[in-house]
Amino acid sequence: VDASWASLAAGVDPDGSGPALGMGFDAFATIQAGIDAVADGGTVNVNAGTYVESIHIVGKDITLQGQTGAVIQSPVTIPAASTFTTSAANKAVVYLNNTDSTVDGFVIDGASRGNGNYRFIGVAFYNAGGALTNSIVKNVQENPFNGNQHGNAVYAYNTDGVAREVTVANNQVFDFQKNGITVNGANLTGHVNKNTVTCKGTTSITAENGIQIGYGAAATLQGNTVSGCSFHLAGNAWAWGAAGVL
């Protein structure tokens, strides 16, 4: 399989002409089925629609291409396949590991389902390179929004010493609980360009950060718009601080 078409209508060509036989593509009912079937170097094209699933791209390099209106929405419980452990278990709606893949053109919606998925992440690059482009990442938080310290919309973390690059460009990121875009870890280089990252505004609930680069990572930041990252707890001479860029 060179290229797979993930469609709401399983087994039907995108033009509706019949079963997907030959022609360089196959049709699948879920995005994950297309990812599993496509060969290294291939493309999974995703039709418009809301796909309630957590997906993982592990061990091969692909392009995941969303058509206009393609939404990946968090399930109620993130499955083990999209869970990875650092100091504790992390649960991602879109999880990339041991890959150099591109995710382009999606709405990635956490659906505020962080309550049952502690250490909730929208898009995670864990020991992975690649790109997230032309997408919206939203609602990576609990319901209601609160002070629990998780809810990272886009999170890249390198721990194995392998040099990698991650590009996060032309995205809209909002309604997260802790960080908008995070690039962490030695030998990781981030290219964070032309994103719009919107924090909640001044709040006494938690200290949000727009973009964080840390723990040995390096990055270029160009043309981003970051706003609303402000923490204030009335009556306290000392409190946590929020940052647009940390």
Side-chain angles (χ1 to χ4, degrees), residues 146-163:
N146 59 57
N148 290 334
Q149 297 294 289
H150 73 128
N152 294 311
V154 182
Y155 183 76
Y157 188 34
N158 216 40
T159 65
D160 62 3
V162 176

Side-chain angles (χ1 to χ4, degrees), residues 32 34-41 54-64 79-84 92 94-103 124-129 164:
Q32 190 62 54
I35 292 169
D36 293 343
V38 75
D40 187 53
S54 175
I55 65 170
H56 55 277
I57 304 171
V58 179
K60 58 184 174 182
D61 304 340
I62 69 170
T63 297
L64 188 64
S82 294
T83 299
F84 64 98
V94 176
Y95 172 53
L96 298 93
N97 173 247
N98 189 28
T99 182
D100 190 353
S101 292
T102 295
V103 177
F125 293 85
Y126 178 58
N127 291 335
R164 295 186 174 91

Side-chain angles (χ1 to χ4, degrees), residues 140-142 144-152 175-179 199-209 228-233 239-243:
V140 185
Q141 59 187 8
E142 294 191 21
F145 174 77
N146 59 57
N148 290 334
Q149 297 294 289
H150 73 128
N152 294 311
D175 285 342
F176 52 88
Q177 193 153 308
K178 187 56 186 174
N179 280 10
C199 296
K200 296 285 190 180
T202 301
T203 174
S204 62
I205 295 173
T206 191
E208 295 180 291
N209 303 304
C229 306
S230 177
F231 179 79
H232 177 69
L233 190 60
W240 294 104

Side-chain angles (χ1 to χ4, degrees), residues 40-108:
D40 187 53
T43 297
V44 179
N45 293 289
V46 181
N47 267 339
T50 298
Y51 300 81
V52 182
E53 56 181 307
S54 175
I55 65 170
H56 55 277
I57 304 171
V58 179
K60 58 184 174 182
D61 304 340
I62 69 170
T63 297
L64 188 64
Q65 182 64 61
Q67 308 305 309
T68 301
V71 180
I72 304 172
Q73 186 179 94
S74 176
V76 173
T77 302
I78 299 293
S82 294
T83 299
F84 64 98
T85 300
T86 51
S87 59
N90 305 274
K91 301 179 180 182
V93 181
V94 176
Y95 172 53
L96 298 93
N97 173 247
N98 189 28
T99 182
D100 190 353
S101 292
T102 295
V103 177
D104 179 82
F106 287 89
V107 175
I108 298 162

Side-chain angles (χ1 to χ4, degrees), residues 148-241:
N148 290 334
Q149 297 294 289
H150 73 128
N152 294 311
V154 182
Y155 183 76
Y157 188 34
N158 216 40
T159 65
D160 62 3
V162 176
R164 295 186 174 91
E165 295 189 15
V166 170
T167 296
V168 183
N170 297 306
N171 303 293
Q172 299 178 52
V173 179
F174 55 91
D175 285 342
F176 52 88
Q177 193 153 308
K178 187 56 186 174
N179 280 10
I181 299 171
T182 303
V183 178
N184 281 351
N187 296 302
L188 181 61
T189 300
H191 305 286
V192 183
N193 302 321
K194 298 182 180 179
N195 302 283
T196 299
V197 181
T198 307
C199 296
K200 296 285 190 180
T202 301
T203 174
S204 62
I205 295 173
T206 191
E208 295 180 291
N209 303 304
I211 300 172
Q212 176 183 313
I213 313 298
Y215 299 93
T220 60
L221 281 67
Q222 184 175 19
N224 300 287
T225 299
V226 183
S227 63
C229 306
S230 177
F231 179 79
H232 177 69
L233 190 60
N236 274 23
W238 179 93
W240 294 104

